[in-house]
Amino acid sequence: MFSNVYVRTIVLSRVLLHLGIWIRNYAVLLFVSEMTNNNPVYVSLISVAEFAPIFLFGLIGGTFADRWRPKRTMVLSDLLSAVSVGAVLLALMNGGWMALLIGTFISASLSQFSQPSAMKLYKRHVPAEQLQGAMAMSQTLVAVFTVLGPVIGTFIFIQFGITVSLILTAVLFLGSSLILATLPRDAEEPKSEDAGGFIKELKAGLRYIGSNQSLRILCLTFFVVGLASGLTQPLQIFLVIENLGQDKQFLQWLVMTNGLAMLAGGAIIIGIAKKVRPQMLLMVGLLVSAVCTMVVGATTTIWLMIVLLVISGFFFPCIQSGIQTLIVRNTEGAFMGRVSGAITPVFMGMMVIGMFISGYLKETFSLVAVYVVSGVLIMIGAALLLPLLVEKGSKDVKDSVL
């Protein structure tokens, strides 16, 4: 797989990009917390700056990614991210710390143009037998930085401060851009039958998703699973305090345990990717996650909680690898950006809705009830995949042709 120049180059650039994002995010979080004396409004605005671009620019960025050449789009996105961090640093040196939030928003917005372009390059240049392994590798990187990112970001900020953190972030973004610049030159972009103005192409992308059964099913699955994830996301601290009777700092050990299990699971997926259909990977991952979620919400034993988090973390790469592989395999190259840009916001949007109502549901019912509801929703998401699971192997092979 690493003999493929596109896989090797994109993975290396993503390492630098992920590292830069984690350093930036934790530097901004800790600096804003210090400046505002832990003001919850300003701290919450950090999350808004990080996630709002997914809603605002996901489909827009995906549409432009389909219109533009992917390599050039990725190089310019990372380069502009580095420039935006430099501009924020200049503003910060003049006392304008609010620029940190604006800079984070701009950088996160640029990612909505870069990510769909990476998917296009995988679609175009990675052989079908290597595709699922490449997706698993991407998820493994996420797991690595889920574990190491907060530690590295916090350490750099505490030791060197906000200025060095932002300089290092800009250097890493610039490094990612330079690495991507070594890719072979983009070919001319093929035009879809619906090519035309921006709005016309955006609508064509939505019609394409609506007419493709596999993509419709994935959208519905994202819808349900996103809501389920949002319900439990803000309540993890209550598992530690109420169910386990531990101090809130104990949560970091649970998160690290889950992240290490994700890393191990991602490594295994890379090895078996050629042998297991992505539909099966996704369904197994969802079912295991559903069971673990329901039991986690009810357990009051530390060792059982850790075992469940290890199991769920180990199978989590099945979900991400399965989803990304199905999206790439079932999408024509001309629509890759729009499909990727439309489906991800579905998950994020429902997750935010789930996060918004989770506290109310906990107060109205109980912590266990919310986790059970989340597990049931994940099971529903798995059940929605049945039409994909029963597809004939011949059709799966046909859809996987790049």
Side-chain angles (χ1 to χ4, degrees):
M1 183 173 62
F2 277 103
S3 61
N4 186 305
V5 65
Y6 287 91
V7 174
R8 187 171 63 248
T9 303
I10 292 175
V11 167
L12 181 56
S13 77
R14 297 302 96 167
V15 169
L16 298 184
L17 197 63
H18 280 303
L19 186 56
I21 289 172
W22 278 103
I23 292 174
R24 179 202 64 196
N25 287 353
Y26 267 77
V28 171
L29 173 63
L30 296 173
F31 184 79
V32 171
S33 297
E34 287 183 2
M35 291 294 295
T36 64
N37 196 26
N38 296 317
N39 186 305
V41 174
Y42 286 110
V43 172
S44 65
L45 283 177
I46 299 172
S47 296
V48 173
E50 293 173 3
F51 289 105
I54 298 176
F55 306 107
L56 298 176
F57 300 111
L59 182 55
I60 294 173
T63 304
F64 275 117
D66 282 336
R67 295 166 65 94
W68 298 338
R69 297 183 181 183
K71 171 195 168 181
R72 185 165 59 184
T73 301
M74 295 173 70
V75 169
L76 289 177
S77 293
D78 290 353
L79 179 60
L80 290 174
S81 290
V83 172
S84 70
V85 174
V88 167
L89 181 58
L90 291 176
L92 185 64
M93 292 171 66
N94 293 318
W97 68 266
M98 283 290 289
L100 286 171
L101 300 179
I102 299 174
T104 300
F105 180 87
I106 292 173
S107 182
S109 299
L110 290 168
S111 296
Q112 304 313 307
F113 296 83
S114 177
Q115 183 60 29
S117 297
M119 297 284 281
K120 285 183 67 177
L121 288 177
Y122 278 136
K123 171 77 175 180
R124 188 176 296 173
H125 299 289
V126 178
E129 65 271 13
Q130 296 179 354
L131 187 59
Q132 197 156 306
M135 296 297 103
M137 174 60 68
S138 297
Q139 178 54 41
T140 301
L141 279 180
V142 174
V144 169
F145 285 101
T146 297
V147 177
L148 299 180
V151 177
I152 296 173
T154 302
F155 174 81
I156 291 176
F157 176 80
I158 291 175
Q159 294 295 320
F160 305 106
I162 188 66
T163 301
V164 172
S165 296
L166 291 180
I167 291 175
L168 186 55
T169 297
V171 169
L172 290 168
F173 286 168
L174 179 61
S176 176
S177 178
L178 293 175
I179 289 172
L180 290 170
T182 65
L183 285 172
R185 186 175 181 178
D186 283 315
E188 288 290 337
E189 282 300 294
K191 299 295 183 182
S192 67
E193 295 179 0
D194 295 302
F198 173 81
I199 299 298
K200 182 179 179 181
E201 291 190 20
L202 188 150
K203 292 179 179 178
L206 294 176
R207 287 196 302 270
Y208 178 78
I209 294 174
S211 64
N212 187 309
Q213 182 191 31
S214 297
L215 296 179
R216 287 201 311 271
I217 290 173
L218 288 174
C219 270
L220 289 173
T221 301
F222 259 48
F223 185 93
V224 175
V225 175
L227 179 60
S229 299
L231 288 176
T232 58
Q233 188 73 23
L235 303 181
Q236 297 178 17
I237 190 67
F238 296 103
L239 291 176
V240 173
I241 297 173
E242 296 182 7
N243 285 15
L244 301 182
Q246 299 292 315
D247 189 83
K248 61 182 180 181
Q249 279 77 20
F250 188 74
L251 178 61
Q252 65 180 322
W253 300 110
L254 297 183
V255 173
M256 186 172 294
T257 298
N258 188 249
L260 290 172
M262 287 170 57
L263 177 59
I268 297 296
I269 295 300
I270 293 173
I272 67 171
K274 296 180 182 179
K275 304 176 183 178
V276 184
R277 296 170 66 191
Q279 297 95 317
M280 180 62 71
L281 274 180
L282 179 54
M283 176 167 280
V284 169
L286 289 175
L287 290 176
V288 172
S289 178
V291 173
C292 288
T293 296
M294 288 188 283
V295 181
V296 159
T299 186
T300 57
T301 306
I302 293 178
W303 70 264
L304 180 57
M305 177 80 72
I306 291 175
V307 169
L308 291 168
L309 290 175
V310 168
I311 294 173
S312 63
F314 187 82
F315 281 90
F316 184 77
C318 295
I319 299 175
Q320 291 299 320
S321 176
I323 287 174
Q324 298 299 326
T325 303
L326 286 171
I327 290 175
V328 175
R329 287 188 176 183
N330 290 284
T331 305
E332 297 176 24
F335 289 93
M336 195 69 248
R338 280 165 285 182
V339 170
S340 178
I343 292 182
T344 301
V346 169
F347 179 88
M348 296 302 302
M350 294 310 300
M351 187 174 76
V352 170
I353 292 174
M355 292 170 66
F356 183 76
I357 64 175
S358 64
Y360 173 78
L361 292 177
K362 177 186 178 298
E363 292 299 319
T364 304
F365 301 102
S366 67
L367 184 65
V368 175
V370 175
Y371 271 81
V372 169
V373 169
S374 177
V376 170
L377 287 172
I378 297 173
M379 285 187 173
I380 292 173
L384 291 172
L385 294 171
L386 285 174
L388 294 182
L389 198 65
V390 298
E391 283 182 339
K392 293 182 179 180
S394 60
K395 184 177 185 301
D396 188 47
V397 171
K398 180 181 177 180
D399 287 340
S400 68
V401 175
L402 298 178

